[in-house]
Amino acid sequence: MENRLAENIRSYRKNLGLSQEQLAERLGITLGTVSKWERGASEPDLMYIMEIAELFHVSVDVLIGYTMRGSNADEEQERIKKLVNEKSVQEAITEYDNALMKFPNHFGIVYDAAECYKQIGTVYRKEAELRKSIELYRHAIDLIGQNRDPEVSEISIRNDIAGSYSTLKEYDKAVKEFEKNNVCGNNDPDIGLIMIQHLKKPDEGMKYSERAFINKLSEMVTIMSGFILYYRDKKNLKRGMRAAGWTIQYLESMKDEPAKACYLDKIISLYHLTLGIMQSANGQDREAEESLRLAVRMARDFDGDPVTSLENIVFADHVVTGYVYDNSGATAMDGLKHVMEEEGEYAGKAFRSMFTELVSEIENT
């Protein structure tokens, strides 16, 4: 048997954000007593161990660090996970129920059980399982200090709760949960859809949906830039050119009136240049020249009459914003220069010379 009581008191106290003095106040003891416990100089009696375990939302055996062969909570969690992967969630439910009786305050088991119950409740539309998942998720939040999975957080768990409420058709509760964790608008799509489709609040919901649309448009540009650079660095120029071409088509499709100026023209010109750089690197000199000239022409036209609003972008009719910007440069031409400084080495010498000539012609007129 291993006793890790001193280490665990210190660890769980810090996870709760408590100082030694604050813990002492909670327990009605002296600061010196807590200090001795955490140094291992003395140990709390059973009454305090039970009180501390309750405060930290862990079982007494977990707090002490007591483990027996075949009864380790982490091992039990991994065993049931394999069962889920190899067999079915239905069979795993019984195992989770048994594990919860033995380890009611082990974060991993509580959270995984909640996931299992939610999956069954969602797939088979079972109310009892969905409510059980909500109960377990809320308990998992109490135990979040034990979590070691970077992909799981209180925000993600609360969104799981919101998803369960939505499946239960308790849409007001779902929206309330989503709004609690709407960090940087991450839940805007869900809130907007629920309000429009289920709560019959179209105008209020559309504010969320439009904001989500603009954010996702920006995210897609960032995502595709990652794809393009990945393929370029992997010397897979055909895939990189395909990604750049797709991005250009995608952004062009976002214009309400194709022939009319739009803020997106500034971004599109950058992708034409990026496409040209890869075409040049691939030996497609004629295509590279066409892409380069198109990029420079679009940048020149945009800078001549810049659009700094969401005008002429589809589905952005009511988005309220006075000014939009990006980090490519103050002007579209600045953006092209920046791309050439960063990526121009991949292009041929003739391509780089042509770019310099075209930009010089524009700046001298």
Side-chain angles (χ1 to χ4, degrees):
M1 183 179 75
E2 180 182 9
N3 186 338
R4 301 178 61 186
L5 181 58
E7 177 185 343
N8 286 342
I9 291 176
R10 181 172 60 254
S11 175
Y12 288 128
R13 172 182 62 77
K14 290 182 177 180
N15 285 339
L16 283 179
L18 297 176
S19 64
Q20 287 186 339
E21 184 176 8
Q22 289 171 324
L23 177 58
E25 289 176 356
R26 293 277 189 96
L27 297 174
I29 58 178
T30 66
L31 172 61
T33 299
V34 173
S35 178
K36 288 180 180 179
W37 289 350
E38 293 191 359
R39 296 198 315 272
S42 67
E43 292 186 349
D45 60 29
L46 180 58
M47 180 188 71
Y48 280 119
I49 288 177
M50 294 174 65
E51 191 173 346
I52 295 168
E54 183 177 0
L55 175 63
F56 292 160
H57 298 291
V58 297
S59 60
V60 170
D61 58 338
V62 169
L63 178 63
I64 296 174
Y66 174 75
T67 59
M68 294 187 304
R69 182 176 299 177
S71 297
N72 181 277
D74 292 334
E75 292 177 0
E76 189 76 347
Q77 179 188 3
E78 291 304 313
R79 183 185 69 80
I80 302 176
K81 273 187 175 181
K82 289 181 180 179
L83 181 64
V84 173
N85 294 332
E86 295 172 358
K87 295 186 178 181
S88 67
V89 288
Q90 288 93 339
E91 293 183 47
I93 281 294
T94 300
E95 297 295 326
Y96 275 125
D97 286 341
N98 291 332
L100 287 168
M101 292 179 66
K102 293 170 61 179
F103 308 105
N105 296 305
H106 182 275
F107 174 82
I109 289 175
V110 172
Y111 176 77
D112 288 351
E115 291 279 276
C116 197
Y117 270 104
K118 183 187 178 188
Q119 184 176 344
I120 291 177
T122 301
V123 172
Y124 299 104
R125 291 295 192 270
K126 291 188 175 183
E127 179 179 348
E129 279 73 5
L130 286 167
R131 296 202 182 282
K132 182 66 174 180
S133 76
I134 292 172
E135 175 189 335
L136 289 169
Y137 279 133
R138 292 201 185 283
H139 188 37
I141 292 174
D142 291 335
L143 305 171
I144 195 69
Q146 300 176 32
N147 177 43
R148 297 295 178 268
D149 186 345
E151 295 186 3
V152 177
S153 66
E154 182 173 343
I155 291 176
S156 70
I157 294 174
R158 289 195 180 280
N159 284 345
D160 286 327
I161 293 173
S164 292
Y165 276 132
S166 183
T167 305
L168 286 166
K169 299 184 179 180
E170 297 179 8
Y171 300 115
D172 284 316
K173 291 181 180 178
V175 167
K176 187 177 180 180
E177 290 291 340
F178 277 131
E179 287 183 329
K180 285 180 183 177
N181 307 287
N182 197 23
V183 180
C184 299
N186 63 305
N187 290 330
D188 281 349
D190 296 287
I191 296 172
L193 180 60
I194 291 174
M195 284 188 167
I196 294 169
Q197 182 178 9
H198 301 295
L199 297 181
K200 306 306 177 185
K201 298 178 179 179
D203 293 333
E204 189 175 351
M206 183 52 66
K207 293 177 183 178
Y208 288 95
S209 294
E210 286 181 329
R211 187 170 66 182
F213 176 79
I214 297 302
N215 287 339
K216 296 305 176 184
L217 177 59
S218 176
E219 286 179 9
M220 184 57 72
V221 170
T222 302
I223 290 168
M224 293 311 299
S225 294
F227 271 97
I228 292 166
L229 295 177
Y230 171 81
Y231 287 128
R232 185 207 64 192
D233 291 346
K234 290 292 183 178
K235 311 300 182 185
N236 192 343
L237 293 175
K238 288 185 178 180
R239 295 286 287 182
M241 289 186 288
R242 182 179 179 185
W246 184 92
T247 307
I248 291 169
Q249 292 178 350
Y250 170 73
L251 293 174
E252 288 285 1
S253 73
M254 292 296 102
K255 297 174 66 173
D256 209 13
E257 297 180 42
K260 186 179 177 182
C262 175
Y263 166 73
L264 294 177
D265 290 341
K266 180 182 180 184
I267 309 301
I268 294 171
S269 70
L270 299 176
Y271 282 101
H272 277 298
L273 178 59
T274 300
L275 176 59
I277 290 172
M278 286 187 290
Q279 289 169 331
S280 175
N282 200 45
Q284 299 173 241
D285 294 336
R286 182 177 60 81
E287 292 86 347
E289 181 178 345
E290 291 177 357
S291 295
L292 172 58
R293 290 187 180 279
L294 181 55
V296 172
R297 184 168 66 250
M298 287 189 72
R300 179 201 63 198
D301 292 345
F302 180 88
D303 289 342
D305 188 16
V307 178
T308 57
S309 69
L310 298 177
E311 177 186 355
N312 198 31
I313 296 179
V314 295
F315 311 129
D317 312 59
H318 309 296
V319 177
V320 179
T321 181
Y323 178 76
V324 289
Y325 65 93
D326 56 77
N327 62 356
S328 64
T331 67
M333 198 61 67
D334 286 339
L336 296 187
K337 291 178 182 178
H338 178 72
V339 170
M340 284 300 294
E341 289 174 1
E342 296 289 325
E343 315 295 338
E345 63 181 282
Y346 292 93
K349 183 178 179 179
F351 185 93
R352 297 196 299 271
S353 296
M354 187 180 302
F355 175 81
T356 302
E357 292 174 5
L358 289 172
V359 171
S360 179
E361 288 177 11
I362 291 173
E363 293 179 340
N364 291 329
T365 57

